[in-house]
Amino acid sequence: MIRLRSAQKSARITLPGSREGGGIFTVELYRKVRHAYFRQGMSKRAIARYFGISRDSVDKMIVYAVPPGYRRTAPVKRPKLDGFTEIIDRWLDEDTDRPRKQRHTAKRVLDRLRAEHGFTGGYTIVKAYLREHQGRSREMFVPLRHAPGHAQADFGEALVVIGGVEQKAHFFAFDLPHSDACYVRAYPAATAEAWADGHVHAFAFFGHVPLSALYDNDRCLVARILPDGTRKRATLFSGLLSHYVIQDCYGRPGKGNDKGSVEGLVGWARRNLMVPLPCFASWDDFNASLEEQCRKRQAETLRGHCETIGERLQRDLEAMMPLPPAPFEACDQVTGRVSSQALVRYKTNDYSVPVAYGHRDVWIRGYVDRVVIGCGGDIIARHPRCYGREDMVFDPIHYLPLLEKKLGALDQAAPLADWELPTEFQTLRRLMEARLLKAGRREYVQVLRLLETFDLAVLHVAVKTALQMGAVSFDAIRHLVLCQVERRPPRLDLDVYPYLPRANVGTTSVASYMSLIVGSTA
């Protein structure tokens, strides 16, 4: 016994390294065990005793150079569930044709198994089986290679702060998959006009038009999918394709991976261009910033490429088509009729027109930022685009001719309720009404009607000058406005009301008449 122990002790001294604590099977432990067995000639029993591990572990370490990990040799046994897996598989297969939010959950599967088939198992094994089934049924994809000159387009959403108001922005994403060059532009809503306007700005950004573009089946683009799979295009989108001569392609409904490049761009733009929350004074400022970020991105080299985005973009541009002579007019064109309140309805909102066009047919052009209304060949109204619902957008100047006749509605007129005029205008109205009562109110409306011809800034200066001079009348203010425009000093007779311009009538000398007579006789 003494000799054996001393031999074991001497054998331990010759072993390289030290004993692993806690029996952790690391790569280093594998190395020491294999060195002791193959180089030192120790037996498996001695190795197991020295390192404090089982003989089965020693056998495994002799076979494997590194820890092979856990390896299951037989499928998992589920004695309570094995008889029900075919039923669960059938339910899950039927779910593939159902809406995503109306498919079986683990809780629902458990309830049905218990109620319909007498299942006695628990929730955990059902949930584990569903997770395993979903892993087996996950879709696989083929890596793609994109030829230069083609594009993909889509819309994304993100929260932004525009003009101090937090709201949802719908941003147009345009991607060239070959070079990964991109263009992003934000809008208040993802309308058909926004789709068209995004294309126009993207083409202007790159200076070329792609050969084709891949889209999803958005209702702004596709009016209807026919039984044979062809698409009936929306009117505005069809005009865009015709103007730029683009071949349009579409992914399968509900399959965003068909246009994976632009889907990735939408996520990249949301994570990189809109974090932290963008804060801008206007949509134009926000879009100018987005365009600059897209331009800077062209200097980057993406993973798997040795060229920058800008260098690869040159191949895209060489394959693309030149821009047409004029850009596409990205607007929705419809017709309407003016109501008795001088309002025209467009996209659930009402816009005012001059009262002279009441009860007449008009045409409407809806752009992403404005609404233009015309009658015949004339444009009669321009308004900023409203994206609310059932709102009224007024131009107070449109109603001034009617208010001049219906003075009783002046204080209750809705178009004038939110009209922010300088304080001098209220002072002018009080003075006019104090002097001339109802006639003074009519003169005040006549002063406001000067805005039909002149800018508010010019009229404001004339009103302030009239108040300083004490010349409170429509004729005096009109004279002061004309003097500003013609750049001549005012000439008002302040001694006579209503302060009309002084009349300077010159006398004609007799010699002048004689010269005319002499000229005629000659």
Side-chain angles (χ1 to χ4, degrees):
M1 292 295 294
I2 297 176
R3 292 181 180 178
L4 178 59
R5 288 178 180 175
S6 62
Q8 290 178 352
K9 186 176 181 180
S10 62
R12 290 181 183 179
I13 295 175
T14 58
L15 285 172
S18 60
R19 183 176 178 179
E20 291 287 329
I24 301 174
F25 295 172
T26 62
V27 177
E28 183 65 14
L29 178 59
Y30 269 68
R31 184 190 67 81
K32 293 176 181 179
V33 169
R34 291 172 63 82
H35 190 278
Y37 182 78
F38 290 108
R39 298 302 184 195
Q40 300 295 330
M42 290 183 63
S43 65
K44 296 180 181 178
R45 177 180 294 181
I47 294 174
R49 185 180 302 168
Y50 178 79
F51 288 102
I53 57 179
S54 67
R55 294 186 187 180
D56 291 338
S57 298
V58 174
D59 291 338
K60 183 184 293 186
M61 293 177 185
I62 291 174
V63 175
Y64 298 102
V66 295
Y70 178 74
R71 298 192 177 193
R72 186 179 298 278
T73 57
V76 179
K77 294 182 179 180
R78 304 185 183 94
K80 291 188 176 182
L81 187 66
D82 285 343
F84 303 93
T85 54
E86 293 183 0
I87 299 174
I88 298 175
D89 291 342
R90 185 176 73 252
W91 291 346
L92 297 179
D93 291 340
E94 293 173 354
D95 278 351
T96 57
D97 298 328
R98 303 287 188 272
R100 184 173 297 276
K101 295 183 179 180
Q102 285 185 260
R103 297 179 181 178
H104 282 81
T105 62
K107 177 65 167 58
R108 183 56 184 153
V109 170
L110 176 63
D111 292 341
R112 288 192 63 183
L113 287 177
R114 287 176 174 176
E116 301 174 16
H117 301 280
F119 179 64
T120 59
Y123 173 75
T124 304
I125 56 175
V126 174
K127 182 179 179 181
Y129 182 76
L130 259 67
R131 184 183 298 112
E132 178 184 344
H133 184 278
Q134 292 171 355
R136 295 196 306 266
S137 60
R138 293 183 65 180
E139 187 176 1
M140 301 297 292
F141 304 99
V142 178
L144 301 179
R145 181 179 179 181
H146 301 280
H150 301 272
Q152 297 179 9
D154 199 4
F155 258 91
E157 297 179 356
L159 288 178
V160 298
V161 178
I162 303 295
V165 179
E166 182 176 314
Q167 54 190 298
K168 182 183 292 186
H170 302 258
F171 58 93
F172 173 78
F174 189 85
D175 182 74
L176 300 177
H178 175 78
S179 62
D180 294 304
C182 67
Y183 180 79
V184 180
R185 188 172 183 84
Y187 298 93
T191 59
E193 306 87 71
W195 273 100
D197 187 77
H199 280 80
V200 172
H201 282 87
F203 298 159
F205 177 77
F206 291 114
H208 291 75
V209 179
L211 303 175
S212 71
L214 180 61
Y215 306 95
D216 57 16
N217 297 275
D218 191 279
R219 287 183 299 176
C220 296
L221 310 179
V222 179
R224 189 157 58 96
I225 301 179
L226 301 178
D228 60 354
T230 59
R231 271 69 172 177
K232 182 180 179 182
R233 303 171 184 83
T235 303
L236 181 60
F237 183 59
S238 182
L240 174 76
L241 298 176
S242 176
H243 184 84
Y244 290 104
V245 197
I246 307 173
Q247 177 63 47
D248 55 328
C249 307
Y250 302 93
R252 295 168 294 172
K255 296 292 184 179
N257 55 280
D258 286 352
K259 49 182 180 56
S261 294
V262 73
E263 292 284 353
L265 173 61
V266 169
W268 176 88
R270 186 183 295 112
R271 293 187 300 269
N272 293 272
L273 305 184
M274 301 179 191
V275 176
L277 211 64
C279 298
F280 291 90
S282 66
W283 289 100
D284 290 337
D285 294 340
F286 183 29
N287 286 323
S289 175
L290 291 176
E291 184 172 319
E292 181 61 26
Q293 294 297 324
C294 293
R295 187 171 286 107
K296 288 182 178 179
R297 185 172 182 261
Q298 295 180 10
E300 298 180 6
T301 302
L302 301 186
R303 178 179 179 270
H305 296 278
C306 57
E307 298 175 299
T308 65
I309 294 176
E311 292 171 343
R312 290 185 286 129
L313 175 60
Q314 298 305 315
R315 291 193 292 272
D316 264 325
L317 298 180
E318 292 174 359
M320 292 165 68
M321 301 179 294
L323 288 171
F328 179 72
E329 190 169 10
C331 66
D332 179 29
Q333 301 187 38
V334 296
T335 59
R337 188 172 182 83
V338 182
S339 69
S340 60
Q341 296 181 334
L343 294 172
V344 178
R345 181 159 297 178
Y346 175 69
K347 302 284 189 182
T348 75
N349 298 310
D350 293 324
Y351 298 86
S352 68
V353 298
V355 294
Y357 294 90
H359 306 285
R360 298 177 64 178
D361 293 327
V362 295
W363 50 262
I364 308 166
R365 292 178 182 173
Y367 298 84
V368 292
D369 57 347
R370 65 191 185 277
V371 173
V372 179
I373 305 172
C375 184
D378 299 325
I379 295 176
I380 62 176
R382 297 177 184 269
H383 294 279
R385 177 74 177 268
C386 176
Y387 285 96
R389 292 187 62 85
E390 301 179 1
D391 289 337
M392 292 185 179
V393 182
F394 296 113
D395 185 347
I397 298 176
H398 293 162
Y399 294 88
L400 294 178
L402 187 60
L403 288 172
E404 187 178 356
K405 299 176 182 178
K406 299 184 177 184
L407 295 174
L410 182 61
D411 293 326
Q412 297 178 337
L416 275 61
D418 298 325
W419 197 10
E420 297 182 358
L421 292 172
T423 56
E424 289 81 3
F425 284 79
Q426 293 300 322
T427 303
L428 176 68
R429 178 182 175 181
R430 288 197 300 269
L431 292 175
M432 285 183 167
E433 290 182 353
R435 294 185 181 184
L436 299 173
L437 300 179
K438 187 175 181 179
R441 180 178 294 185
R442 178 170 285 105
E443 282 208 17
Y444 175 70
V445 175
Q446 291 174 347
V447 171
L448 294 180
R449 289 197 63 182
L450 292 173
L451 292 173
E452 297 174 355
T453 307
F454 304 101
D455 293 334
L456 177 60
V458 175
L459 182 59
H460 184 205
V461 172
V463 170
K464 289 195 296 184
T465 305
L467 292 175
Q468 293 170 359
M469 299 174 63
V472 184
S473 73
F474 166 70
D475 292 322
I477 293 174
R478 181 176 59 180
H479 174 73
L480 293 173
V481 168
L482 293 174
C483 289
Q484 278 191 81
V485 175
E486 298 173 1
R487 296 184 179 180
R488 56 185 175 86
R491 299 177 58 188
L492 291 175
D493 189 353
L494 301 181
D495 297 329
V496 180
Y497 184 81
Y499 319 115
L500 294 173
R502 293 190 184 96
N504 186 11
V505 181
T507 58
T508 305
S509 63
V510 178
S512 299
Y513 282 109
M514 295 301 296
S515 63
L516 294 174
I517 295 174
V518 173
S520 62
T521 56

